[in-house]
Amino acid sequence: MTEAPEPADPHARRAPGTPCWVSLMVHRLQATEAFYGELFGWEFEPGPQQLGPFVRALLDGREVAGMGQLPPDRRLPVAWTPYFASDDVDRTAHTVRVCGGTVAVGPLDAGQAGRMALASDPSGAVFGVCQASAHVGTAVSGLPGTPVWDELLTYETLSVAKFYETVFGYEEEPAVSADRDYVTLRVDGRPVAGIHGLGHGLPRDQGAHWLTYFQVADVGETVRQVAGLGGRVLRPAGDGARGRAATVADPEGAVFSVVQRPS
């Protein structure tokens, strides 16, 4: 993880390319609600109905994330998926295809959630695109239990960074390091996401994928909770430039990171 953005007005319409939502599709929705409710203090409300069995996770009554139920016959990977803002999802989806990516779902209308699409980049990493309607995305930031950073873990940054630059108009800032392949993606000069090239260190069982970081008050305590609730610790807590972080998985295997900001 590298530089994270300062909390912005959560009710403002996001600039294109800004992370605006994160969602998780699972096989056991009620059990997943119980896990994250205990871990992050989330509560849940149903909807939107256009997405099938789906709930919105709330923190102090404000929307944080979404969770949906996978059809019983679909054995798809269970993973957190970040959504990036767009002024025109149909145009963005077309650009994804032209640049060698794939649009798997949509674009489609999802009621108050706006117009959405689910896509993957040329390396296979899945992400979403959202054109806001009444619902403008995650409504609270900067608190424990909220998403604070999205990072693409991939083989190398050069070609895939160009893909995202073309699709969303990002400004690229490569790391100034001979032994670190990292690019920070910026919107209007503000860091919004990162791309980390891992080379042969990329996990073969996952391939290229987006990793969402959630802020917590105490990484050590959160890691203990994850294990106690039936999850797994994949990378123990360690100190970095932006705080103390760990990577974990929930009971269905969805991988995410938790980070404790420096006090």
Side-chain angles (χ1 to χ4, degrees):
M1 178 184 175
T2 186
E3 188 176 5
E6 294 297 323
D9 179 358
H11 300 289
R13 188 173 294 274
R14 269 69 169 184
T18 305
C20 60
W21 188 243
V22 62
S23 72
L24 174 64
M25 299 297 291
V26 299
H27 299 288
R28 300 182 299 276
L29 183 56
Q30 287 188 335
T32 300
E33 288 180 44
F35 173 85
Y36 287 99
E38 184 68 25
L39 187 67
F40 291 144
W42 291 351
E43 298 177 336
F44 300 91
E45 288 187 353
Q49 295 180 348
Q50 291 88 342
L51 301 178
F54 194 88
V55 296
R56 291 164 293 138
L58 308 178
L59 186 65
D60 296 330
R62 294 177 290 177
E63 296 181 356
V64 174
M67 294 181 185
Q69 176 88 42
L70 286 167
D73 58 339
R74 300 291 297 275
R75 305 308 299 177
L76 297 174
V78 175
W80 280 102
T81 301
Y83 281 73
F84 300 95
S86 170
D87 286 339
D88 187 332
V89 165
D90 295 80
R91 184 178 61 205
T92 301
H94 174 72
T95 306
V96 166
R97 296 187 184 98
V98 169
C99 293
T102 301
V103 178
V105 178
L108 55 82
D109 291 318
Q112 289 190 336
R115 189 161 175 80
M116 312 174 77
L118 194 64
S120 60
D121 67 28
S123 69
V126 176
F127 64 94
V129 185
C130 182
Q131 181 179 343
S133 181
H135 171 90
V136 296
T138 302
V140 58
S141 63
L143 298 176
T146 62
V148 292
W149 187 251
D150 291 292
E151 190 168 276
L152 173 61
L153 305 182
T154 189
Y155 183 76
E156 56 83 25
T157 64
L158 184 61
S159 60
V160 75
K162 292 299 180 187
F163 168 85
Y164 286 98
E165 177 186 4
T166 303
V167 171
F168 291 113
Y170 292 127
E171 307 146 16
E172 297 179 32
E173 183 187 357
V176 184
S177 172
D179 59 354
R180 179 171 166 79
D181 185 14
Y182 198 97
V183 173
T184 300
L185 302 176
R186 293 177 176 265
V187 172
D188 297 330
R190 185 169 59 93
V192 297
I195 302 177
H196 193 179
L198 297 176
H200 295 294
L202 184 68
R204 292 188 178 183
D205 59 337
Q206 291 180 287
H209 63 282
W210 281 94
L211 179 67
T212 295
Y213 285 74
F214 293 91
Q215 186 167 329
V216 296
D218 186 322
V219 164
E221 177 60 28
T222 301
V223 166
R224 287 188 286 272
Q225 280 186 286
V226 167
L229 291 168
R232 293 179 294 129
V233 179
L234 305 180
R235 180 171 59 83
D239 293 321
R242 295 295 160 182
R244 190 163 179 79
T247 300
V248 298
D250 69 19
E252 284 207 35
V255 177
F256 59 100
S257 285
V258 291
V259 60
Q260 177 182 339
R261 294 284 185 84
S263 56

